Amino acid sequence: MTERARFDRGHTDDLMTFLAASPSPYHAVANAAERLEKAGFRQVAETDAWDGTSGGKYVLRGGAIVAWYVPEGAAPHTPFRIVGAHTDSPNLRVKPLPDSGAHGWRQVAVEIYGGPLLNSWLDRDLGIAGRLTLRDGSTRLVNVDRPLLRVPQLAIHLDRTVTADGLKLDKQRHMQPVWGLGRDVRDGDLIAFLEEAAGIPAGEVTGWDLMTHSVEPPAYLGRDRELVAGPRMDNLLSVHAGTAALAAVATGASAPASIPVLAAFDHEENGSQSDTGADGPLLGTVLERSVYARGGTFEDRARAFAGTVCLSSDTGHAVHPNYAERHDPTHHPRVNGGPILKVNVNNRYATDGSGRAEFTAACEAADVPFQSFVSNNSMPCGTTIGPITAARHGIRTVDIGVAILSMHSVRELCGADDPFLLAGALTAFLER
C-alpha cells in the first residue's frame, strides 16, 4: 500500500459511513447538514427574512440542500463558486397503495425510479427508508436497515432460455419484492409497520416517500484494499466530497475570495424537473436572496452571476476491462487516477476550453492528477445537472466527477484514493 493510500483512508472511511447512513436523498441531506453544523453553519428557513451577516448558512428542501459561506466583508457583487451534485440514485420506490401479494406471499408494490440495472436488485436483502409525512404536516425520517424485502429471481430450472437468450425482466411483473407470508393482504400494513419502527403513533402518517436499499454495507475490496464497493456512489460520493470541501474552506485559516456554495439536488436521475431539482428555481433563488440580503441590487446580482463558476460533480465511467471496446479508444479513465473532466461537444456536458483551464488550475493547486473523459462516438453519453445549471442561470459550468464501474447498479465500484482526490480538487476550487 502506498503512502498516499494510507493518507487517503480517513476520508474514504468517512465516505463509507456517509453512504451507509444515507439510504435516501432525505437522509443524505440531513447527514450533510449535520456535518456542516459542526463546521459552524446554521440552517435558515426559506419563509423567514434573511440577513446579510457573514458565516455559513444552508437551506434544506426535501431531498436537496444548498449551503453557502459568506466571508467577512463580502461585497454584494462577490461571485459564487459552486459545487453541484445530486442526492438521488436509481432504485425501487414504494407505490401509493403498497400492500399487495399473491399465492400466499405478501409483497410490496414498487415503481422503478430512474434507470437502475434491474438484475443487480435481484436476490438482494433490502431495507426500506425515506420520509414519512404526518397529519400535522411535519415529516420524520425512517430507516429500516435490516433484511426486510427481497426480489427473488426465477430458478434456472423454470427458465431454460436464460443462458442462451439472457435475462429478461418485466418491470411490472418481475420486480415486486416479497416481505412475508399470508393469504390475506391487508391495506395499511406496511405503513403501520413503519409507524411502529419510527416511533410514530398509529394512524398519524398520511403521506410517504419511501424507497428500498441494499443493507449490505460498503466495503474495501481487492488484495490491497485499493477499491471500494458500495451503494449510491452515483452521486453521494460527490455530495460527501462537496460537503467536506465546503466545511474545510469555511473553517480554513484564510477567507475565500468568492462565496463558496454546495448545491446538492434531488431528481437528477429522472430529469431534474422538480422544485428540488437542478431545473427548478432553488439555486437561483438562494443565490439571489444572498445578494439582496447583503444590500445588493439587480446590477450586483448580474455582476455576481457573471463571475460565478460551477463544478458539476457526478460519477463517470472508468474503462471496463471486459468491455474496453465500448469506450473511446483514446480516452480510458482509470480508477485511482484522479477525478475526470467530462467533455461532450453536443453539450451533454457543459465543459468547454475555459472550463478545462479552470479545473486544471484547481487540480494543480491541490496537487491532484486528473483525467479526461469523452464517450465513444457510437454510444451517446448521458448528461448531468451541468448543462441545466449553465442554461438556467447563465453560470459558467464545468462537468467533472470520479470514474467508477457498475454505474446504476445496487452496488457500484470506485478506487479507494479517488474520493479523497476529488475532495482535494473541490476544496482548491472553492478557495480560489
Side-chain angles (χ1 to χ4, degrees):
M1 186 182 300
T2 66
E3 288 297 322
R4 191 179 73 192
R6 280 195 291 269
F7 182 72
D8 297 351
R9 196 51 50 92
H11 179 90
T12 305
D13 287 345
D14 189 63
L15 168 64
M16 293 163 71
T17 299
F18 185 82
L19 293 174
S22 304
S24 78
Y26 314 106
H27 289 82
V29 297
N31 290 322
E34 181 180 5
R35 283 166 160 74
L36 291 173
E37 291 269 0
K38 292 178 180 178
F41 285 69
R42 62 182 177 88
Q43 184 176 2
V44 294
E46 292 184 83
T47 53
D48 290 346
W50 291 4
D51 59 46
T53 56
S54 59
K57 304 171 187 179
Y58 68 90
V59 166
L60 287 181
R61 184 193 289 183
I65 182 171
V66 180
W68 66 103
Y69 177 78
V70 180
E72 193 73 37
H77 61 269
T78 301
F80 302 92
R81 295 183 78 80
I82 304 167
V83 171
H86 68 88
T87 61
D88 59 320
S89 301
N91 57 19
L92 312 179
R93 302 208 170 185
V94 176
K95 288 184 175 180
L97 300 176
D99 299 291
S100 65
H103 307 290
W105 293 97
R106 298 176 68 186
Q107 295 176 276
V108 173
V110 297
E111 190 172 4
I112 310 302
Y113 178 83
L117 287 172
L118 293 179
N119 62 292
S120 71
W121 288 83
L122 300 178
D123 297 328
R124 294 274 185 178
D125 295 337
L126 304 177
I128 195 166
R131 178 178 66 173
L132 301 173
T133 303
L134 280 57
R135 290 185 181 280
D136 63 2
S138 63
T139 59
R140 295 274 291 275
L141 298 184
V142 63
N143 181 14
V144 181
D145 194 31
R146 66 171 179 83
L148 181 67
L149 308 102
R150 188 179 180 92
V151 183
Q153 188 170 188
L154 186 65
I156 192 171
H157 313 78
L158 303 178
D159 184 9
R160 295 292 186 180
T161 65
V162 69
T163 54
D165 300 337
L167 180 65
K168 295 180 175 61
L169 295 170
D170 183 286
K171 294 180 180 179
Q172 179 62 38
R173 293 185 296 121
H174 300 152
M175 297 305 298
Q176 307 306 310
V178 300
W179 76 307
L181 300 174
R183 295 189 177 279
D184 298 324
V185 175
R186 295 183 295 273
D187 289 339
D189 270 3
L190 178 66
I191 300 306
F193 168 78
L194 294 175
E195 285 176 330
E196 182 178 2
I200 299 171
E204 283 298 302
V205 172
T206 57
W208 52 88
D209 303 279
L210 299 167
M211 57 207 72
T212 61
H213 65 276
S214 171
V215 300
E216 185 180 4
Y220 288 106
L221 184 144
R223 184 194 66 181
D224 297 323
R225 292 161 53 89
E226 58 195 339
L227 302 169
V228 174
R232 299 175 295 280
M233 291 183 184
D234 179 14
N235 186 32
L236 294 189
L237 190 158
S238 294
V239 175
H240 175 263
T243 302
L246 181 58
V249 172
T251 57
S254 59
S258 300
I259 296 175
V261 180
L262 169 67
F265 302 101
D266 201 352
H267 302 131
E268 189 272 348
E269 297 293 356
N270 61 9
S272 295
Q273 292 184 323
S274 71
D275 69 320
T276 54
D279 204 18
L282 179 59
L283 176 61
T285 299
V286 168
L287 299 184
E288 288 174 351
R289 291 185 68 177
S290 175
V291 170
Y292 298 146
R294 285 176 280 123
T297 64
F298 181 80
E299 182 72 8
D300 291 315
R301 180 261 187 215
R303 292 175 67 189
F305 276 46
T308 292
V309 184
C310 174
L311 290 189
S312 165
S313 182
D314 204 346
T315 53
H317 304 294
V319 61
H320 197 301
N322 299 338
Y323 301 90
E325 73 281 0
R326 305 293 180 95
H327 300 266
D328 183 85
T330 59
H331 294 76
H332 281 177
R334 302 178 187 277
V335 298
N336 287 336
I340 55 174
L341 180 74
K342 301 159 81 170
V343 178
N344 179 264
V345 295
N346 293 303
N347 287 339
R348 300 293 284 173
Y349 303 131
T351 306
D352 62 9
S354 65
R356 179 185 177 89
E358 187 75 51
F359 188 57
T360 298
C363 289
E364 288 178 346
D367 193 23
V368 166
F370 75 91
Q371 310 173 81
S372 294
F373 171 84
V374 295
S375 290
N376 186 306
N377 286 333
S378 300
M379 297 185 179
C381 69
T383 190
T384 69
I385 65 166
I388 294 171
T389 302
R392 182 171 183 84
H393 306 294
I395 290 173
R396 185 156 58 106
T397 304
V398 188
D399 271 299
I400 66 162
V402 162
I404 68 171
L405 293 183
S406 305
M407 187 183 295
H408 286 200
S409 171
V410 75
R411 198 165 176 83
E412 296 161 325
L413 186 70
C414 78
D417 290 350
D418 283 332
F420 175 82
L421 296 173
L422 174 65
L426 296 183
T427 301
F429 166 75
L430 294 178
E431 287 175 338
R432 282 172 53 79

